[in-house]
């Protein structure tokens, strides 16, 4: 079982923490049918991209003045398709565990979050997920949406901004820090790698081959395969259980790798 040690953890939202892919696809399909746009072509680039960019590219006749079209579209995902939206397995448990120091007493949490959300969605739909599905977690202090950056993924601007804001929250004056990005789309994987992050990709939206091709360091099915080994103020160590192998099989040597790592730790 490989493990990674980082300072901060960065999450995409749709398709990574919240399983909203089917809802988004239904909303895009409905819009494509209305404007006679080829859905298959649109679907190749829509996941992980900003709604305003997809609207401008495929629906140039739609009036998006003051982002009104973006607001209407994304609110329709949250309001009209809630019956097919759910949490990605393991997401709530992982977020809760990231708030707790190793060996903490019941109810004890860090004074600040060590994790952030970086989404291509607008504030309306992004906040909606934390107002309902993730309301027990509550929004993190660092929450980057499509409106906070000039360029969307695969540009690393969102992840770079989140990293800088987390450093500010933690009074971290180091120039370089270690981060891990959790993503479900190739454009997001590319953004994470461009940010200098380790990237763990989920197959909730795309096949693993596309995620590996985009540069993912690890690929898993969902967040139940991610757990904490230790969580301290200056370091978070995550364990990845049974990551998918690029050639088609799970990592058969995971247990041996982990045993070797623990033996090395004991010898230090």
């Amino acid at each position: 079982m490989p493990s990674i040690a980082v300072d901060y953890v960065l999450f995409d939202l749709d398709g990574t923490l919240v399983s909203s892919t089917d809802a988004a696809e239904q909303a895009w399909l409905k819009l494509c049918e209305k404007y006679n746009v080829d859905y298959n072509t649109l679907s190749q680039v829509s996941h992980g991209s900003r709604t305003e960019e997809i609207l401008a590219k495929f629906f140039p006749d739609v009036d998006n003045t003051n982002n009104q079209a973006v607001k209407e579209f994304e609110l329709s995902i949250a309001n009209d398709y809630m019956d097919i939206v759910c949490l990605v397995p393991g997401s709530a448990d992982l977020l809760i565990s990231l708030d707790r120091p190793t060996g903490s007493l019941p109810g004890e949490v860090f004074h600040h979050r060590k994790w952030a959300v970086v989404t291509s969605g607008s504030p309306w739909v992004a906040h909606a997920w934390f107002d309902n599905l993730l309301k027990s977690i509550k929004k993190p202090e660092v929450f980057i949406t499509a409106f906070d950056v000039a360029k969307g993924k695969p540009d690393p601007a969102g992840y770079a901004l989140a990293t800088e804001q987390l450093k500010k929250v933690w009074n971290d004056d180091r120039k370089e820090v270690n981060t891990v990005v959790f993503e479900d789309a190739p454009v997001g994987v590319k953004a994470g790698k461009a940010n200098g992050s380790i990237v763990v990709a989920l197959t909730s939206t795309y096949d693993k081959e596309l995620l590996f091709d985009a540069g993912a360091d690890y690929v898993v099915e969902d967040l139940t395969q991610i757990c904490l080994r230790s969580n301290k103020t200056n370091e978070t160590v995550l364990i990845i259980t049974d990551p998918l192998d690029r050639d088609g099989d799970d990592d058969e040597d995971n247990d041996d790798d982990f045993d070797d790592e623990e033996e090395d730790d004991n010898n230090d």
Side-chain angles (χ1 to χ4, degrees):
M1 289 180 287
S3 64
I4 52 178
V6 297
D7 300 296
Y8 305 110
V9 184
L10 310 174
F11 291 96
D12 173 51
L13 183 54
D14 293 280
T16 301
L17 296 177
V18 176
S19 183
S20 56
T21 300
D22 289 344
E25 289 178 347
Q26 289 299 313
W28 281 122
L29 180 59
K30 182 178 179 179
L31 199 63
C32 285
E33 291 175 345
K34 181 178 179 180
Y35 288 94
N36 196 29
V37 171
D38 181 58
Y39 172 73
N40 290 329
T41 302
L42 177 143
S43 65
Q44 294 177 15
V45 295
S46 60
H47 295 297
S49 300
R50 297 194 296 182
T51 300
E52 63 179 301
E53 294 171 348
I54 300 301
L55 288 175
K57 181 175 182 178
F58 291 93
F59 306 93
D61 294 332
V62 172
D63 183 6
N64 190 35
T65 303
N66 297 322
N67 285 304
Q68 186 60 35
V70 172
K71 181 177 181 179
E72 291 177 0
F73 177 82
E74 297 203 352
L75 284 178
S76 75
I77 296 175
N79 296 328
D80 301 337
Y81 303 97
M82 185 56 70
D83 58 323
I84 57 174
V85 177
C86 61
L87 292 179
V88 168
S91 60
D93 289 341
L94 179 58
L95 294 180
I96 291 171
S97 67
L98 285 171
D99 287 342
R100 296 174 177 168
T102 299
S104 62
L105 298 173
E108 183 181 356
V109 296
F110 287 120
H111 292 302
H112 301 291
R113 254 71 185 272
K114 299 188 70 179
W115 56 276
V117 166
V118 180
T119 176
S120 297
S122 71
W124 302 297
V125 70
H127 293 172
W129 301 142
F130 275 87
D131 290 339
N132 44 60
L133 293 173
L134 287 163
K135 64 181 178 181
S136 63
I137 308 296
K138 298 182 180 179
K139 288 178 285 190
E141 295 155 288
V142 178
F143 198 112
I144 308 300
T145 72
F147 292 175
D148 295 316
V149 291
K151 295 182 179 180
K153 303 170 185 177
D155 192 282
Y159 285 120
L161 179 59
T163 302
E164 289 305 311
Q165 289 191 5
L166 281 168
K167 288 168 60 179
K168 184 176 181 180
V169 166
W170 283 87
N171 294 316
D172 187 344
D173 60 1
R174 290 175 297 170
K175 183 176 181 180
E176 301 291 338
V177 294
N178 297 317
T179 57
V180 58
V181 163
F182 287 90
E183 267 285 353
D184 74 305
V187 292
V189 171
K190 292 177 181 178
K193 294 304 296 180
N195 188 55
S197 303
I198 297 169
V199 177
V200 180
L202 285 68
T203 57
S204 52
T205 308
Y206 288 91
D207 291 336
K208 65 178 183 178
E209 288 79 9
L210 291 174
L211 299 171
F212 277 123
D213 287 344
D217 297 289
Y218 303 97
V219 176
V220 297
E221 292 181 356
D222 57 45
L223 294 176
T224 61
Q225 293 174 246
I226 310 297
C227 64
L228 278 175
R229 182 179 182 185
S230 64
N231 201 23
K232 303 175 182 178
T233 301
N234 61 344
E235 183 183 67
T236 295
V237 180
L238 296 167
I239 296 173
I240 307 172
T241 60
D242 300 324
L244 300 178
D245 186 80
R246 186 169 192 142
D247 295 329
D249 298 323
D250 291 347
D251 187 350
E252 296 178 355
D253 297 327
N254 283 342
D255 291 338
D256 292 338
D257 291 345
F258 185 59
D259 290 341
D260 291 343
E261 182 178 322
E262 284 203 324
E263 183 177 345
D264 291 341
D265 289 344
N266 293 333
N267 292 332
D268 289 342

